[in-house]
Structures are given as structure tokens and as C-alpha cells.
Amino acid sequence: MLAPVTFGRKRPLPSCPNPLFLKWLTEWRDSTAEKGLKTQYVYQKAISSLKKYPLPLRSGKEAKILQNFGDGICKMLDQRLEKYYAEHGPNAPIHSLPGISNVGRNQQKEPSPLSIQPVQEENQEPCLLKKKKADGKKQREYVPQRRSGGYAVLLTLYKDSKNPNSRGYMTKAELQRDAQSLCDKSFTLTDPSNRYTAWSSVSTLIQKDLVIKTHSPARYSLTEKGLELAQRLEVAEQAPDDRSDGTRRAGDISPEEDIEDTDTMACRESSNPNTLLPLYKTLTVSSSSTSSSLVNSKQSPEDPAPRSYNHVPDFTLLPGQFNILLCVDFIETTGGAAHRKQELVSELKRNGVNFDVRKLHIGDFLWVAQEKVTPVPGQLRIPQARELVLDYVIERKRMDDLCGSIIDGRFREQKFRLKRCGLRHPIYLVENYGSAQHLSIPETTLQQAIVNTQVIDGFFVKRTKDVRESAAYLTIMTRYLQSMYSNKTLLSCTKEEASTCDGVLHHDAQSCILMEFKEFNEGAMKNKAQTVKEVFARQLMQISGVSGEKATAILEKYSTPASLLSAYELCSITEEREKLLSNVKCGKLQRNLGPVLSKTLSQLYCTKEALS
């Protein structure tokens, strides 16, 4: 008796009736994504349109009816189709991938993509079949080249994950610093032959679902797939080198499988080889520092041992390689009375101040150290100058503007954001403007607000009588900073590293650790993604009587609304809830928050019905 014939799908059905076109578009998208080109998004849009189209296409020209298919993509498809016919014959099927179908190339009729063929093996499971390439072989798994950027990043993240003190992620600066020893190519400097660094391979790792990027500033960690690959790479790294017989070792692949190349000789033999080496700078704080420096360096007076901090910057600006530039917020030059705002610009030009008008997300004036760049022969555009922000930021307030900001609550919020921006010397420039008699707030109240800003909040306050005197102060500050930083070596850092570097800056007369301007300005945005703690702080400051210092004191004890509500739930009676926060210490004098404000907060967070 004959056994019953089992029918089933030999391979998964193609989701698109034009799998060959889809394959080529995907290859082009992946290639541009590895190089970090924005063209990848054009190909992705075309892929999405092609997947939705239910009918087979016979040429790239026919695809022009689809959305996101322009002349360029259609021409590329036709050229690739011509090459495909030349390699596989004029009658080669184009509506199924070659190497998968049993239909020969000599047949005139193409097989239907929906045809069902008998399974050759009884126990075969289609869901476990692997993808195949055009030559019929199994598609090789993506493995980064040994000592390439991707290879170094995977191993570094894996080693960090095994550390018991690991936070579960690494920042960009940490990753570049620790991975550099495992890579032949620089993570921060480009080769003379191309404009890509070893860091460019991280986008490939993210696309291949080996590394995940979260938060801002960015945090990088391994996925499960990346963890598995990193484990195999580490085993291969520890294995003896047996490549003398021409076989390839795990982690070594051909250049066409990875964007990374191993030829770094041109990089090592450049005219300035010292700039290609990792720059390690050790700044030491001695135990004989002043009391203020001990507070900044977070070192207790009882600890006699000096504190050292090893910092590896993304880049370094040596003396003579940068200019000090004043940055003016565009709001200071536009809107309102144009003639009055242009007067400030005119005065700065008259004084010979080098300045640039740009959008500042915090403060009205600040200074950056801008790298000196020169045109590169053969290139159309001048390389983009790198910038580090100096530790001085100025918030300018005219008396009428001060009055308005106090009324609408901006004044408190601005002071709070200035304290948290990461720059050590925030300055308030208060400019007199006409008479204060006709303002909504009495002049005595405005004067008290200015004094409180200096005495209680700790800001340096500079008073000027008009816009000309304000321009003169900015001129003097610019020349002072030019003199101060002219002989210093400037080391870049991220905003996360700035808190670690805090207090180290002033103990090395030759070096300064400064934030990159782009990251600083993006981090100071009002509407950026915020943590629960930051939103809670802003919420507390909307309550009458809660200043920035009081909100900070509450956050130190209860960092989220959930933790505060849990504490209220543990209180057995209403009176205990009302006094829960009364003994919280606030400010430099460590005064209690007080029973009145504590009661207000308890009513706000514990009253379920509407507040009267």
C-alpha cells in the first residue's frame, strides 16, 4: 500500500509579489544606513509602498506608478534588472527569488508564487528553515570584523554587563574610552582616506538589533541577540590564533560583509600621529584644598588622600587652536522695539567683539571656545568647527521684563534651570529702563527680588544703567575670558561627565574640562524629555511658597510623587500627615520647611475631592 503523499509549503510564502525588487531595495537601504546617509529613509519609504502593492511588476519603469518611487529609484531598478538578466538569462524569473524555486531557468513560464509543492522530507518544519541567498547557500549571520568598531563595542558592553557594579548601560564617552583598546581605528578621529570613524558602526549594531540606544544623553546596552554574539566573540578572542592555515577565525569576515576596514596604516602615518592616540588626562585634587574646593570635589576634610579623576575626552583643543566667541540669543536682537535691540548689536560691533547670534535654550549670552578650521583641498565645504561652552552664562533682565517674569512665574523657573544647566558661573545682568513707577509691581518689591537673587539664590548680579553699559560689560567679560583661556588645553566632556568633573577644573592651571556646546544647548531645552523627578520638581515649584531650594530639599527625601504618597499612607492620622514635611531642612541655613507649607502640600496630595 502506498504511503499517503504529504503536501505543504516548502518555504514561507513571499509577502510581496515582487520579492526581487524588495531584496534590492533592502540591500540599498542597509548599505546607506551603515554609512549613516539619509538616503536610507528614501529607500525605506519605497519599500513600504512596494510591500502594499498586490500586483507583480515587470520593470522599474512600471514601479513609477507607486508612491515614493521617483526617476532615480526606477532607473536603478532597471539597471539592476539588466544585470540580473545578463547573469541568469533573458528568461530568468523575477517574481520569485532565484535559488529557492525548483523551476529551472530554461523554462519559459514562471512559477506562481502561490504554488504548493510536496514536502521532500516527512519531518520537515517550514518555520525552522533558514533564509537562503541567491546562490542557494544559507545566509551568513552578521558578525563584525575582528578589531573593528562594532567588534570593540560589543565586547566592551559585554564586559561591562559582567561587572557587578554595572548600571546596565554605558554612555557614548564611556563606550568610546573603554572600547578604543580593542579597535584598530579611532572612535573620534577620521582617517585621511574616508570620513567615518569606528563609532559609525554603532548604527549598524542598532539596526541589526544587537545594541539598543535609549535616553538623552544616549545610553547604550546589549540586546539578548547582541549578548549571545558578544559571548561567542569573547570565546573566539581568548582562543589561540589558528589562522596560519588560511582558515577564518570567529569574528573575522570579508570586507563586503561589514563596512569596517582594517587598513589603519594611513591613519597611523598621518602628519600628526599624537592626535590619533587616546588622550588621558589625570587631574588631582590635593587634601590641602580650600573648604569650597572640598565641597566641589566631594572629598571629605577627614580624607587625607588626594582624589584623581581620569578623563578621556572626545576631542581636545590645544592653545592656539580655538577662538573665544560670544553667543547672543536671537531673542535679544529681534522682536519688541527693534531699534533698541539693534543698539546692543551695534555697540558690540563698535567695540570689536567677535559674536554670533544663535538660538540659546537657556540664558541670553554665553561664550564658547570655537575650533579654528581651514578649508580642505578638494572639498566644497569647510569642516564644521567643534565647540566647547565656557562656564559663564548671563541672563539679561530689564526692569519691565523682570516685573513680567515675576508675575507669570518665569523668574523662579529660570533661576532653577540656570542652577541645573551645568555651568558653574551663572550671572544676572539687571538693566535699568526708564521709571519703575508705572510697573505692575512696586519698585521696592523688584529691588528685593534682585537682592534675594544674589544673597539667597547665590547668583552674581551685575547692575547696569542702560543698554550701552550692558554692551560694555559683555565686551569686558569677553576680553577677560579670552585672556583667561588663551593658554589652556580644553578637554571635551558630556553633560553626564560634567558632574563627575565638577571641582576638578579649578585645580589644574593648564587644563579645563568643558561641555560640548551642542549637547549643552540640547540638554537645556524646556520641552525635552524629562524624568519623573524633574517633572515632580516643576510641579512642586508651582505651589506658592515653594522655591527651587525647597523643592530640591523635598526631592532629596522623596524623589517621586509615588514615594511621597507612600509616606503619607504610612501616617495614621491627618495631623501626622500635615507635619510630615515640616522638619525638612532647606537652603544654606538649613531651616525647616515649616508646618504651614507642609500642611499645604499634604492637602494637595492627600485630598481626593476637589480643593476649594
Side-chain angles (χ1 to χ4, degrees):
M1 183 177 178
L2 294 174
V5 179
T6 305
F7 290 90
R9 294 191 184 98
K10 189 174 180 181
R11 57 184 173 84
L13 289 177
S15 57
C16 173
N18 301 285
L20 205 57
F21 285 5
L22 183 63
K23 176 177 176 289
W24 294 339
L25 287 170
T26 305
E27 287 174 359
W28 296 335
R29 181 201 63 189
D30 293 347
S31 176
T32 52
E34 286 177 352
K35 296 175 183 177
L37 301 177
K38 292 185 178 179
T39 324
Q40 59 176 303
Y41 304 114
V42 178
Y43 292 126
Q44 182 56 52
K45 288 180 180 178
I47 289 170
S48 301
S49 296
L50 186 62
K51 285 181 177 179
K52 295 174 185 176
Y53 190 64
L55 302 177
L57 299 168
R58 288 172 293 183
S59 67
K61 190 176 181 181
E62 283 189 8
K64 198 171 180 181
I65 63 172
L66 302 181
Q67 190 178 10
N68 302 311
F69 274 78
D71 293 333
I73 290 182
C74 293
K75 186 178 179 181
M76 288 173 67
L77 286 172
D78 281 331
Q79 289 173 348
R80 188 67 179 266
L81 196 59
E82 248 180 74
K83 187 178 178 182
Y84 174 79
Y85 282 137
E87 292 176 355
H88 299 85
N91 298 319
I94 65 169
H95 297 129
S96 61
L97 295 177
I100 319 178
S101 175
N102 286 332
V103 180
R105 294 176 186 158
N106 299 327
Q107 288 181 289
Q108 298 292 332
K109 187 178 179 182
E110 296 179 9
S112 169
L114 302 178
S115 61
I116 298 177
Q117 300 176 358
V119 177
Q120 295 180 353
E121 295 180 14
E122 189 175 351
N123 297 327
Q124 187 177 9
E125 297 182 15
C127 62
L128 299 179
L129 288 176
K130 295 185 178 179
K131 296 178 184 177
K132 295 187 178 182
K133 279 189 166 182
D135 56 1
K137 297 179 182 178
K138 292 179 182 177
Q139 185 176 5
R140 191 181 320 202
E141 178 191 8
Y142 171 82
V143 180
Q145 186 175 354
R146 188 170 181 272
R147 295 198 64 79
S148 67
Y151 175 88
V153 167
L154 286 175
L155 280 182
T156 303
L157 287 172
Y158 178 59
K159 289 175 181 177
D160 178 73
S161 67
K162 294 194 298 183
N163 186 347
N165 298 323
S166 171
R167 297 169 297 178
Y169 66 87
M170 294 183 74
T171 63
K172 178 181 177 181
E174 293 169 344
L175 201 48
Q176 289 180 334
R177 178 189 64 206
D178 295 348
Q180 187 61 71
S181 60
L182 299 172
C183 183
D184 291 332
K185 197 173 181 181
S186 172
F187 274 92
T188 56
L189 300 170
T190 58
D191 290 345
S193 57
N194 61 64
R195 60 188 182 91
Y196 300 109
T197 65
W199 184 254
S200 304
S201 60
V202 173
S203 60
T204 305
L205 297 178
I206 294 172
Q207 184 189 357
K208 300 290 184 183
D209 196 28
L210 299 171
V211 170
I212 185 170
K213 175 183 174 183
T214 58
H215 293 79
S216 178
R219 299 177 180 180
Y220 299 88
S221 54
L222 288 174
T223 63
E224 290 185 11
K225 184 179 174 184
L227 184 64
E228 180 187 347
L229 177 58
Q231 287 173 337
R232 288 190 280 129
L233 290 177
E234 188 182 51
V235 172
E237 178 71 18
Q238 295 171 354
D241 195 342
D242 54 357
R243 291 176 293 169
S244 57
D245 58 352
T247 59
R248 296 198 312 170
R249 165 179 171 173
D252 290 344
I253 64 171
S254 56
E256 61 269 15
E257 292 170 354
D258 193 2
I259 191 174
E260 304 295 339
D261 62 332
T262 55
D263 184 14
T264 58
M265 295 305 294
C267 183
R268 294 180 184 275
E269 294 173 1
S270 65
S271 59
N272 188 8
N274 294 331
T275 60
L276 302 177
L277 301 175
L279 297 170
Y280 291 88
K281 188 67 183 174
T282 304
L283 304 175
T284 305
V285 181
S286 65
S287 58
S288 60
S289 305
T290 60
S291 58
S292 61
S293 65
L294 286 170
V295 171
N296 289 334
S297 63
K298 301 177 183 178
Q299 180 183 2
S300 61
E302 294 80 15
D303 185 9
R307 168 180 168 263
S308 297
Y309 174 71
N310 292 328
H311 176 62
V312 183
D314 279 353
F315 62 90
T316 302
L317 298 181
L318 301 175
Q321 292 184 349
F322 59 88
N323 294 316
I324 301 300
L325 177 71
L326 170 65
C327 296
V328 181
D329 186 25
F330 78 101
I331 296 297
E332 293 298 307
T333 62
T334 58
H339 69 279
R340 191 171 61 243
K341 293 200 171 185
Q342 287 301 318
E343 188 178 352
L344 175 70
V345 175
S346 301
E347 284 295 319
L348 291 174
K349 289 180 180 176
R350 191 177 295 117
N351 295 340
V353 177
N354 187 19
F355 70 93
D356 182 35
V357 177
R358 58 180 72 175
K359 182 175 177 60
L360 301 179
H361 292 297
I362 192 166
D364 297 317
F365 307 95
L366 55 80
W367 289 265
V368 297
Q370 187 180 69
E371 180 185 22
K372 294 179 181 178
V373 292
T374 54
V376 179
Q379 290 189 6
L380 181 62
R381 296 181 180 177
I382 299 176
Q384 187 174 4
R386 296 174 291 190
E387 294 178 333
L388 297 176
V389 60
L390 306 189
D391 272 316
Y392 294 82
V393 57
I394 292 180
E395 179 70 30
R396 178 189 178 200
K397 290 288 182 192
R398 287 190 329 180
M399 292 301 283
D400 54 343
D401 183 30
L402 177 64
C403 175
S405 63
I406 290 174
I407 292 172
D408 61 20
R410 283 183 294 117
F411 188 52
R412 281 195 307 163
E413 185 199 16
Q414 284 173 344
K415 289 192 291 184
F416 182 71
R417 291 176 62 225
L418 278 170
K419 281 188 175 183
R420 295 171 58 89
C421 73
L423 302 185
R424 299 174 179 84
H425 301 289
I427 300 169
Y428 261 92
L429 179 62
V430 181
E431 183 181 303
N432 290 334
Y433 173 68
S435 174
Q437 295 179 357
H438 304 290
L439 299 178
S440 305
I441 297 178
E443 185 176 3
T444 53
T445 305
L446 295 176
Q447 297 295 344
Q448 185 63 55
I450 295 170
V451 173
N452 290 345
T453 300
Q454 185 168 9
V455 176
I456 298 176
D457 298 316
F459 289 95
F460 177 79
V461 177
K462 172 65 180 175
R463 302 288 298 269
T464 58
K465 63 181 181 181
D466 53 25
V467 65
R468 182 172 295 182
E469 193 171 312
S470 297
Y473 176 71
L474 292 171
T475 303
I476 293 170
M477 277 293 297
T478 303
R479 290 172 183 164
Y480 165 73
L481 293 174
Q482 287 171 342
S483 172
M484 177 181 173
Y485 286 92
S486 60
N487 296 321
K488 291 183 181 291
T489 298
L490 309 183
L491 312 177
S492 70
C493 74
T494 63
K495 193 166 185 179
E496 285 188 352
E497 292 174 325
S499 58
T500 310
C501 304
D502 192 20
V504 180
L505 170 67
H506 305 292
H507 298 282
D508 190 333
Q510 303 302 321
S511 303
C512 291
I513 300 177
L514 303 174
M515 280 187 282
E516 295 182 43
F517 171 76
K518 184 179 179 182
E519 184 172 351
F520 161 78
N521 204 34
E522 289 176 353
M525 289 178 64
K526 265 189 181 182
N527 298 325
K528 69 182 181 107
Q530 296 178 322
T531 63
V532 175
K533 187 174 182 179
E534 290 172 332
V535 175
F536 189 30
R538 293 169 71 95
Q539 187 183 71
L540 288 172
M541 290 180 62
Q542 299 307 309
I543 302 169
S544 177
V546 180
S547 62
E549 285 186 344
K550 291 177 180 179
T552 303
I554 296 170
L555 289 173
E556 286 177 0
K557 196 165 185 181
Y558 305 103
S559 59
T560 62
S563 60
L564 180 59
L565 291 172
S566 299
Y568 279 132
E569 287 176 1
L570 295 175
C571 299
S572 54
I573 56 175
T574 304
E575 187 178 356
E576 189 179 350
R577 283 197 294 269
E578 291 176 352
K579 293 182 179 180
L580 178 66
L581 300 175
S582 59
N583 293 325
V584 173
K585 304 295 181 183
C586 309
K588 294 179 181 179
L589 300 178
Q590 291 295 288
R591 291 178 175 172
N592 292 337
L593 189 68
V596 176
L597 201 51
S598 177
K599 182 178 179 179
T600 302
L601 289 165
S602 70
Q603 289 175 342
L604 175 64
Y605 287 101
C606 297
T607 306
K608 295 182 179 179
E609 59 273 8
L611 293 172
S612 56

